[in-house]
Amino acid sequence: MQIRAESVRSLRDHTFDVCVIGGGATGAGCALDAQLRGLRTALIDAGDFASATSSASTKLVHGGVRYLEQALRQLDLGQFKVVRSALRERVRMLHNAPQLAHACEFMIPSFSRWESFYYSIGVRLYDWLSGSENLASSHVFDRDRSVTRFPGLRATNLAGSVLYTDGQFDDARYNLALIQSFAEAGGRAGNYLKLISFERDAGGKLATAVIEDQRSNEKLLIRARIFVNATGPFSDSIRALAHPGAAPRLVLSRGVHIVLPLSAPSDSVALLIPHTEDGRVIFAIPWLGRLLVGTTDQEVPDNRESAVTRGEAEFLLRHLNRYLIQPRSCSEIVAAFSGVRPLVRHAQAQQTKRLIRDHEVEVDQQSGLVSVLGGKWTTYRAMAEDAINHVQRSFGRPVTHSTTANHPLPGAEHYCPQYAAELSTRHGIPLDQGQHLAQKFGTLADEVCAIAQREPALWRRITDSFPAIEAEIAYSIRGEMAITVEDVLARRLGLQFFSWPHAAQAAPKVAQHFVREHGWSEAERAAAVEEYLGKIRRMQIALGLSSEPIP
Ligand SMILES: Cc1cc2nc3c(=O)[nH]c(=O)nc-3n(C[C@H](O)[C@H](O)[C@H](O)COP(=O)(O)OP(=O)(O)OC[C@H]3O[C@@H](n4cnc5c(N)ncnc54)[C@H](O)[C@@H]3O)c2cc1C
């Protein structure tokens, strides 16, 4: 990736064909697609890349068995097509970054023969819709085999289960890999650059974005022939900047997750809880050494960031515990996060859980703004392809072929399942460190290790029970545009999603690296640590957890 200061300079100095606003999954996908089609492209985000919804997902690369059920119940061909298209994209996501996305087994327990039959039809249909892109065939288990496969499952009244396979991924790092791929293709990206207004040409079309650098407070202008609004839950506000009075199109739906130690129910199979009190599903998924439980679905008036509450965590655990021999409790929560889904309103849908996760590309005829609305992580690439097709049509040019369907992301080249073990042997590091580095960086992990070879002190672990090493901090700051403590601990290393106490413990060390790399003063260092610890403390308090950094 580029150095941020250089990137900001080049954003100011050039006129671009396309300027993408928003560096989440949708924006990163659009920018990469446009740049690969030969359009000179800029990408900006008001915060860090992936800092909004795109790092707060359930980490599923899926067609959505729940959406398939909705399609069946409502006999809705449109929904079938959305599921089918997402299943096609699922394979592409796994193929383009195998270090970050892989297959995972999901069990749906059933409590009557009718339920067993119903779920088995559902997963077989899911297999069938996947066609040649199916990850693995589903299975129907009786009660004994279900319990053998999933030892923590409560057997009382259990009739059996079905097991199907879907994809799972590291959303934040996948997003960063897209940005990196975009930069390698010659695109210019900058984080902490917020669009605050537009300037127009004589015909009223958008010509210049007025940007405020959120770090220096300086203003800069980015000139482009077309602007793509890929701001997810913020899209209506950008549409209103381009076209004052434009009617809102989005419905916002909040979803939360809690993270628990992975002691039960199973360390490899995920659980799909098929019914909640509000008629949706909840997942309990082994994820990078933890158990991720979520999510909720609650319509909210705006996308203000807010901490996961005790009530939300209790809701998730109440449902999970009905299926477990050993109930889990709120006091075990080690981390949590929330996000806001950007859903496009469908005329007949009253509830957000009934809104299909399809996308829409809107071209505002007055201003020329292209907005990519709705969708889901799994379909980011197809959404981007659609959006850039619209961009080329707006230019009055023929639509050229999108090459992103088969475009390995950085770290994917020469990646193989043995890579972690080979990396460990090559550098003489423990296997858990090799696995962690391979899962986060793919084959670029050798570049991280090269830093530690030059500065052996950076082989040190950041905290005791997490395998990340200090060289990763240096790599994130030097090469991945991390400019705050949270950028490093949350989205680049993943420690904040693994354990708040350990992330809090690591914060001073991360800040010390910024002193070395960016010349932070002592006051800046102390303020950054205090700000980060304050955020962790507020999140712990909202969940009613001890606010002590380390229990
Ligand atoms: C709880 C939850 C669980 C989910 N689980 C899954 C799942 O398992 N699988 C799946 O496929 N999908 C899932 N989704 C959906 C998926 O996460 C989203 O569809 C996707 O991340 C949206 O990406 P985005 O880039 O459109 O939005 P975002 O990731 O929100 O990105 C928008 C970006 O725009 C930036 N921005 C806003 N205003 C400005 C401005 N003025 N100037 C510059 N930048 C600006 C923001 O800083 C932000 O980074 C889930 C969503 C939620 C909420």
Side-chain angles (χ1 to χ4, degrees):
M1 230 184 264
Q2 298 138 354
I3 309 294
R4 183 173 179 273
E6 276 172 21
S7 215
V8 171
R9 230 184 345 265
S10 66
L11 285 168
R12 203 194 293 265
D13 291 344
H14 292 83
T15 297
F16 294 92
D17 293 319
V18 184
C19 174
V20 178
I21 305 147
T26 311
C30 287
L32 178 62
D33 194 316
Q35 186 69 31
L36 291 176
R37 289 197 216 189
L39 300 168
R40 283 164 303 160
T41 306
L43 170 78
I44 55 153
D45 196 288
D48 188 20
F49 307 121
S51 58
T53 318
S54 294
S55 58
S57 80
T58 311
K59 332 289 181 201
L60 299 177
V61 189
H62 65 158
V65 282
R66 179 162 71 92
Y67 310 133
L68 180 60
E69 190 192 14
Q70 280 176 219
L72 269 177
R73 280 179 186 268
Q74 295 158 15
L75 289 177
D76 183 337
L77 192 62
Q79 294 224 39
F80 272 114
K81 284 188 179 154
V82 173
V83 175
R84 174 73 193 108
S85 149
L87 285 169
R88 203 172 298 130
E89 290 302 318
R90 177 179 74 167
V91 180
R92 292 170 175 164
M93 271 188 84
L94 267 62
H95 173 76
N96 283 336
Q99 75 279 23
L100 298 171
H102 54 87
C104 176
E105 290 180 324
F106 292 77
M107 180 175 277
I108 314 178
S110 53
F111 293 91
S112 67
R113 288 170 77 162
W114 161 245
E115 265 190 358
S116 300
F117 175 70
Y118 183 73
Y119 297 148
S120 66
I121 297 292
V123 292
R124 296 249 150 87
L125 186 58
Y126 200 61
D127 287 350
W128 178 77
L129 270 182
S130 308
S132 60
E133 288 137 347
N134 200 12
L135 299 177
S137 296
S138 59
H139 299 279
V140 179
F141 290 155
D142 62 13
R143 178 190 145 120
D144 288 349
R145 283 200 68 199
S146 305
V147 175
T148 311
R149 205 60 212 276
F150 202 117
L153 192 63
R154 189 195 287 195
T156 322
N157 299 329
L158 187 72
S161 67
V162 294
L163 193 83
Y164 72 98
T165 304
D166 237 332
Q168 184 189 38
F169 75 131
D170 185 334
D171 52 4
R173 285 227 61 105
Y174 208 107
N175 198 147
L176 291 168
L178 288 169
I179 303 271
Q180 187 162 357
S181 190
F182 166 64
E184 284 178 6
R188 307 285 168 176
N191 52 1
Y192 295 96
L193 296 176
K194 181 174 185 177
L195 170 87
I196 50 172
S197 62
F198 288 111
E199 291 174 358
R200 290 156 207 275
D201 64 16
K205 298 280 187 212
L206 306 180
T208 306
V210 182
I211 308 293
E212 193 176 73
D213 186 328
Q214 302 298 290
R215 305 303 293 175
S216 65
N217 292 327
E218 282 173 11
K219 295 261 186 330
L220 67 134
L221 303 178
I222 300 180
R223 292 179 301 277
R225 294 170 61 203
I226 210 160
F227 292 85
V228 174
N229 171 15
T231 53
F234 307 84
S235 297
D236 277 337
S237 61
I238 307 298
R239 290 172 65 248
L241 282 180
H243 187 150
R249 293 294 320 281
L250 292 184
V251 181
L252 302 179
S253 157
R254 172 180 161 89
V256 310
H257 295 86
I258 53 173
V259 182
L260 301 163
L262 188 59
S263 52
S266 157
D267 60 3
S268 62
V269 179
L271 187 68
L272 187 159
I273 295 165
H275 308 292
T276 62
E277 290 149 10
D278 61 351
R280 51 172 293 116
V281 304
I282 289 177
F283 292 94
I285 311 173
W287 186 66
L288 297 177
R290 292 299 201 204
L291 184 71
L292 180 68
V293 184
T295 175
T296 55
D297 191 337
Q298 184 198 3
E299 192 169 330
V300 285
D302 56 48
N303 44 36
R304 208 172 312 142
E305 196 181 323
S306 66
V308 178
T309 64
R310 181 81 172 195
E312 288 171 321
E314 283 170 349
F315 172 89
L316 293 174
L317 287 178
R318 186 163 67 244
H319 288 91
L320 175 64
N321 285 339
R322 288 176 192 156
Y323 291 81
L324 303 184
I325 300 169
Q326 292 280 341
R328 311 298 301 263
S329 81
C330 278
S331 62
E332 294 176 76
I333 296 173
V334 287
F337 55 91
S338 68
V340 174
R341 297 177 189 85
L343 308 175
V344 192
R345 171 76 74 187
H346 185 272
Q348 282 102 44
Q350 297 302 314
Q351 295 167 291
T352 53
K353 61 177 180 279
R354 301 230 178 280
L355 289 176
I356 59 172
R357 273 41 172 174
D358 201 0
H359 77 275
E360 195 179 311
V361 177
E362 176 196 78
V363 182
D364 180 42
Q365 296 306 328
Q366 184 181 309
S367 66
L369 181 73
V370 175
S371 294
V372 200
L373 307 170
K376 59 182 187 168
W377 231 120
T378 309
T379 54
Y380 83 92
R381 198 211 60 81
M383 292 162 66
E385 179 175 341
D386 192 6
I388 304 308
N389 289 349
H390 277 80
V391 164
Q392 289 189 313
R393 280 187 207 110
S394 297
F395 286 151
R397 286 205 203 141
V399 170
T400 55
H401 176 62
S402 165
T403 55
T404 52
N406 186 7
H407 180 79
L409 297 182
E413 296 91 336
H414 311 300
Y415 186 82
C416 62
Q418 304 79 35
Y419 178 73
E422 289 168 7
L423 187 76
S424 307
T425 312
R426 202 160 42 248
H427 296 284
I429 54 176
L431 186 59
D432 67 334
Q433 275 180 10
Q435 277 162 343
H436 164 82
L437 285 162
Q439 280 170 343
K440 292 284 170 197
F441 302 93
T443 48
L444 295 179
D446 274 302
E447 291 186 9
V448 179
C449 292
I451 294 179
Q453 270 166 346
R454 286 193 296 275
E455 303 169 66
L458 300 188
W459 283 118
R460 274 190 311 242
R461 282 182 188 242
I462 294 166
T463 74
D464 289 346
S465 45
F466 191 69
I469 56 171
E470 284 199 38
E472 292 173 55
I473 306 177
Y475 185 81
S476 304
I477 298 173
R478 290 176 200 169
E480 296 189 319
M481 277 198 209
I483 54 174
T484 71
V485 170
E486 182 173 335
D487 295 348
V488 174
L489 289 173
R491 290 162 290 277
R492 288 163 186 74
L493 271 56
L495 182 54
Q496 187 179 308
F497 297 117
F498 182 83
S499 162
W500 285 340
H502 289 96
Q505 190 186 45
K509 208 170 270 178
V510 174
Q512 198 55 47
H513 277 268
F514 278 106
V515 172
R516 279 183 58 190
E517 305 285 338
H518 284 188
W520 279 6
S521 66
E522 173 50 29
E524 285 172 318
R525 190 201 65 78
V529 173
E530 194 41 51
E531 186 188 332
Y532 186 73
L533 296 185
K535 180 169 180 179
I536 297 286
R537 241 174 260 132
R538 284 192 296 281
M539 294 194 293
Q540 287 176 320
I541 289 166
L543 270 170
L545 300 174
S546 154
S547 62
E548 292 299 313
I550 295 293

